[in-house]
Amino acid sequence: MFRRNALFSISLVVALAILQSGCAGTHVGAKSSEDYNKSPLTVAIPTGVSDEGALDVAESAFNRRQWKVVSRSDAEITGALKHRAFDATAIIKIEDRNLVIYSDSIFIDPQTEEQSPGVPYGWLENLRDDMRDTLAYRASQ
């Protein structure tokens, strides 16, 4: 009996940890969006990588993470993703030899359908990490 209860308790803790980690990167509310965009995630563009090459890397990160590229210019690229409770938009701009990831996303409460500004922080971190790794690889070539 003790083993069964211990196994159930361990299973419950693991399930709770998985549930919490899936929601861990979400910041909701106008203040969180404003705060995030005041100090957004950035990736340094290494020496030897052009701005166009850096935007190619950003586009590749969007595609790898299944974001739809909705616009691209010489200085920025915008991607969109509708998934779970987010209608997410990320704008990646070149600023001072950095790729800067801004968020203009909407969180839709699953119970009330109420919409509010939100930041899918974990998703933006994934984009940042993909870009950083690819840029580092390109710089080493």
Side-chain angles (χ1 to χ4, degrees), residues 56-106:
D56 289 344
V57 168
E59 184 169 0
S60 176
F62 277 138
N63 290 330
R64 189 176 311 116
R65 295 290 175 170
Q66 299 177 354
W67 290 65
K68 179 182 178 187
V69 173
V70 294
S71 69
R72 180 174 172 167
S73 70
D74 291 341
E76 71 180 58
I77 186 167
T78 301
L81 177 64
K82 291 183 182 184
H83 185 62
R84 297 187 189 149
F86 270 100
D87 186 351
T89 302
I91 303 98
I92 301 174
K93 297 182 179 185
I94 296 177
E95 296 177 357
D96 299 322
R97 293 295 296 161
N98 289 292
L99 290 170
V100 183
I101 308 167
Y102 293 99
S103 178
D104 184 18
S105 301
I106 300 296

Side-chain angles (χ1 to χ4, degrees), residues 36 41 67 89-90 101-103 105 119-129 131:
Y36 170 80
L41 296 171
W67 290 65
T89 302
I101 308 167
Y102 293 99
S103 178
S105 301
V119 180
Y121 200 79
W123 297 356
L124 302 180
E125 287 178 318
N126 289 337
L127 291 170
R128 178 205 55 203
D129 294 347
M131 291 186 299

Side-chain angles (χ1 to χ4, degrees), residues 40-60:
L41 296 171
T42 63
V43 179
I45 301 171
T47 303
V49 177
S50 67
D51 287 355
E52 183 178 346
L55 286 176
D56 289 344
V57 168
E59 184 169 0
S60 176

